[in-house]
Amino acid sequence: MQVQFDSKVEQHFFERSGMAPPSTLIPYILVDNFPLLGLIASLRFLEWVSENPSGVVSLPTGKTPEYFIKYTQYLLQNWNTRKGRKIREEYGLVLQSRPVLNGLQFVQMDEFYPISPTQHNSYLNFVERYYINGFGFNPNKALLINSFEIPLEGGKNFMEVFPDSIIDLSLRYREASSPLESLQQKSIFKIDEWCMSYEEKIREKGGLGFFLGGIGPDGHIAFNIRGSDHHSSTRLTSTNFETQAVAANDLGGIEISRNRLVITIGLETITHNPHAIAIIFAAGESKAEIVKKSIESQPGNLYPATALQQLKNCRFYLTGGAACRLKDLEDLFYMQGMWTHSKTERAVIELCRKQNKYGHHLTLEDLMADDHCRMIPGLNEHTVQSVINSMKNKLARGIVNEKNHVIYHTGPHHDDIMLGLMPYTNRQVRDASNSIHFAVLTSGFTSVTNKFVIDALTDTLRLIEAEKVQMINYSDFFEVGYRQKWDKDVYHFLDATAERNIDEKRRGLCHRMVRAVVEINRVRNKSQLVRTLTQLINDLKMSYDGSMNPPKVQKLKGMIREFEEELVWAHYGVPVKNIHHLRLGFYKGDLFSDTPEKIRDILPILEHFRKYRPSVLSMAMDPEASGPDTHYKVLQAIASAVKEWEKEEDLSQLRIIGYRNVWNRFHPAEADIIIPVSLNAFDILLHSFSECYMSQVNASFPSYEYDGKFSEFIQKVWVEQLRAVQLLLGKNFFYQNEHPLLRATHGLIFARVLNVEEFLSLASQLERVTEGASGIPLSKLSITTK
């Protein structure tokens, strides 16, 4: 399709991308990385505001708009500076004067219900902080969703009507069975009336003029989840699992988000004004499939974004990862640049999948009939066999036993190494000639719920009162003793695991809780310890779910996760001293986290490289800056540390293994090494995850792709990866193989192996991302909330 851009900003970015006109039903524009998504959205917004200073706008909340907010504030604050003018000129924002935002009419697109607007995790709080205060929107011209101001039956507060914050929407259709249900039923109808009034107010304004939003894993726009009517309006509604899993991070766990309803504008609310600008932005491969379905499919309620096709000014802004499954991008992948054997591998493997044929059944005619395979240089009857051979070579590398290495595994969060490489690491640990280190680079406290900590502290207090925490009775415990024998807690726990003694396992955790509380709070005696534990319990009980914990509670939660990590690797004899907790400072639990800094975040990694001198280094590989955010920032920090270390040492023999887990996947053609996984390895993974990651076993913060533990989900991923390779090689390659490890294979791990030169090439790409757009370091992009 031919795209006509009325926007000079969009025209500039489209030309910059080098793309041919999109063939999709909704046009899209490609950018290189996540920060640039924010830049193009910001420039387009300011361009529109200059033409519509009193227009109606609806802007997103959450993590996605981070760089939209940062760049908008930066540009407005630096409008007439040399740097500000340079950016505007370079990216096509040609305006006579600085846009003024206080004339805009803001519409909040969605909100959890019920939720106190004073909570930091309410969307109203976000709107007031970043848009009304940060952008200077006029609150008197804003339509906001405030749970306190939505009238309920009898003038009551939502905490009186829905004391557990659970709303049963079946009361819309059935008789109430109690006085409380009668009150709730009447209140639900009043909420419905409020929603209808909210919709009418939007339409009285002529509808939305500018809509900017992300897209959910199920395709939801605002909270219009999969299956939403394209003629829907503002309403109180429930959500689906995918949306609840994403919201779990905001609300403090899936236990909360499963039961929390939402108020959302409808799809017809967005499309009511036929001249509206509607922009959806998305980053990362995890969004690739839903992006493809949303802009290549005909309108239908399975994919909510297809409703936006009726808007001529609808656009998707995408990173390469989010766009990678579009037919345009798949075609471009094969047509651009030099042809490599990796392209041949991908084309043949995808043909196996499309035709559901084993590799040895593919004919030359099959290859010639495929749009991508026919492009293979020198295509002949041996082409498929060359791909089969290369896959076998990757598998051969995956069964080699490492010997005489110093291996330094890194993970952004606790459990990342396990979920990325555990079957591989277990084989490395079994060889005594290897020295193995496991380093978790952030505290990971955000994944521990308040309830878990309350229960653990309560049990600790109970054991102290029962005189079952004997170490606190030693005379020097509160001075120096608490710092000694932390590994004893680990082996106490594991001995109890072997005995199947649940009470003693809990006691092992409580011992560690005591040490952590004493260290964090500088406790000096038993009575002070009891008071501190009691105060912590009371404070946490008074906190709302998903609240920002004070630094001491954050550290306690992080130390719980550190204990869990020590338990996992102690299963295999790795000493506690070889489990490293770097607690990089950029990780603070804020919605928008810091950029890694040299002294604070990079130097600790470099010092470990200098001390342990690894010959093998592993890391989670997420080079697009799309998420999880911590993965990318940890990769930045490691890349910078390697770059500094390379100035001091000859690193020509250093091997760097890049892995992915539940958040991102490698295609088998991208992998350099394929690691077989046996049923025994699956059992070890499932058992050790369930026994050790106590705070995670109930999956309070699950992936939107799987309703359960990450250990179960990664098994599903590895099995799916095996199927892709089985379809190429044939099942008999595995079960009839001469090698016992391959005969026992029931899953596969894909990983990349880089030398330092290759890794530093990747690092230089990351530096360009770090510099953001037009030479502005991302660390210079801050958010002002006044």
Side-chain angles (χ1 to χ4, degrees), residues 90 153 385 432 471 491 511 551 701 770:
E90 183 175 348
E153 181 65 17
Q385 188 60 48
M471 62 184 179
Y491 288 96
H511 281 181
F701 304 95
T770 305

Side-chain angles (χ1 to χ4, degrees), residues 311-324:
L311 293 177
K312 67 175 183 177
N313 292 318
C314 179
R315 302 282 186 268
F316 270 56
Y317 295 166
L318 305 171
T319 65
C324 69

Side-chain angles (χ1 to χ4, degrees), residues 591-609:
L591 180 63
F592 304 136
S593 59
D594 292 348
T595 299
E597 297 176 0
K598 184 169 184 178
I599 301 298
R600 183 189 64 188
D601 302 310
I602 297 167
L603 188 57
I605 304 171
L606 178 59
E607 288 176 344
H608 268 207
F609 291 166

Side-chain angles (χ1 to χ4, degrees), residues 18-228:
M19 286 291 298
S23 64
T24 51
L25 297 171
I26 296 177
Y28 63 90
I29 296 174
L30 281 180
V31 299
D32 292 336
N33 53 62
F34 183 48
L36 280 176
L37 277 186
L39 179 61
I40 181 176
S42 172
L43 293 166
R44 182 66 184 104
F45 171 67
L46 294 174
E47 183 181 47
W48 182 86
V49 171
S50 71
E51 300 169 355
N52 303 271
S54 60
V56 183
V57 302
S58 191
L59 303 176
T61 54
K63 180 66 178 172
T64 305
E66 174 180 3
Y67 288 105
F68 164 72
I69 295 170
K70 287 181 174 179
Y71 276 119
T72 299
Q73 289 197 349
Y74 183 90
L75 289 166
L76 291 173
Q77 292 165 4
N78 294 273
W79 193 261
N80 292 315
T81 67
R82 182 184 62 82
K83 183 66 74 174
R85 288 195 301 271
K86 180 181 177 183
I87 294 173
R88 291 189 284 113
E89 292 167 2
E90 183 175 348
Y91 290 92
L93 184 62
V94 182
L95 302 179
Q96 295 299 315
S97 60
R98 178 182 181 276
V100 178
L101 306 188
N102 64 5
L104 295 173
Q105 303 173 73
F106 180 82
V107 173
Q108 185 177 341
M109 68 177 72
D110 50 21
E111 179 61 282
F112 301 113
Y113 187 86
I115 191 169
S116 168
T118 62
Q119 293 184 197
H120 88 283
N121 55 352
S122 76
Y123 289 163
L124 177 57
N125 185 283
F126 183 104
V127 165
E128 290 178 334
R129 184 176 182 185
Y130 295 111
Y131 294 140
I132 291 178
N133 294 330
F135 279 13
F137 289 167
N138 186 339
N140 297 321
K141 296 181 179 180
L143 287 179
L144 304 175
I145 305 174
N146 186 331
S147 294
F148 283 162
E149 295 179 358
I150 298 175
L152 302 178
E153 181 65 17
K156 294 183 179 296
N157 184 281
F158 70 74
M159 292 179 283
E160 299 175 274
V161 179
F162 307 108
D164 53 6
S165 295
I166 296 176
I167 302 175
D168 182 1
L169 289 182
S170 71
L171 286 168
R172 281 176 173 157
Y173 317 112
R174 65 174 176 85
E175 290 187 10
S177 61
S178 68
L180 178 60
E181 279 202 344
S182 178
L183 176 65
Q184 292 174 339
Q185 183 182 61
K186 293 173 182 176
S187 295
I188 289 170
F189 289 137
K190 283 188 174 292
I191 297 169
D192 291 340
E193 289 176 358
W194 182 92
C195 290
M196 184 172 66
S197 173
Y198 193 84
E199 179 76 19
E200 288 172 350
K201 290 175 183 176
I202 297 172
R203 297 196 180 204
E204 286 170 1
K205 295 174 180 291
L208 302 180
F210 187 95
F211 176 88
L212 175 66
I215 185 168
D218 68 320
H220 70 246
I221 305 297
F223 272 126
N224 294 284
I225 61 173
R226 183 180 58 248
S228 294

Side-chain angles (χ1 to χ4, degrees), residues 698-767:
N698 292 325
S700 292
F701 304 95
S703 164
Y704 59 82
E705 295 181 76
Y706 185 78
D707 190 358
K709 292 183 285 190
F710 281 129
S711 54
E712 295 171 351
F713 180 32
I714 201 63
Q715 177 170 348
K716 179 174 178 286
V717 170
W718 292 345
V719 168
E720 289 171 353
Q721 292 182 168
L722 170 65
R723 287 174 181 159
V725 175
Q726 274 182 335
L727 202 53
L728 175 70
L729 301 183
K731 288 185 177 180
N732 59 340
F733 168 81
F734 290 95
Y735 71 78
Q736 293 180 352
N737 202 283
E738 294 181 358
H739 198 290
L741 189 54
L742 289 174
R743 285 199 304 274
T745 297
H746 294 280
L748 292 176
I749 297 171
F750 300 152
R752 290 191 63 189
V753 181
L754 306 173
N755 60 34
V756 169
E757 182 180 356
E758 292 166 333
F759 183 66
L760 291 182
S761 175
L762 175 62
S764 68
Q765 297 173 32
L766 291 175
E767 279 186 336

Side-chain angles (χ1 to χ4, degrees), residues 406 437 577 580 605-614 645:
V406 177
H437 297 263
K577 67 182 178 64
H580 309 291
I605 304 171
L606 178 59
E607 288 176 344
H608 268 207
F609 291 166
R610 291 166 173 164
K611 180 177 181 179
Y612 299 114
R613 304 174 64 84
W645 193 33

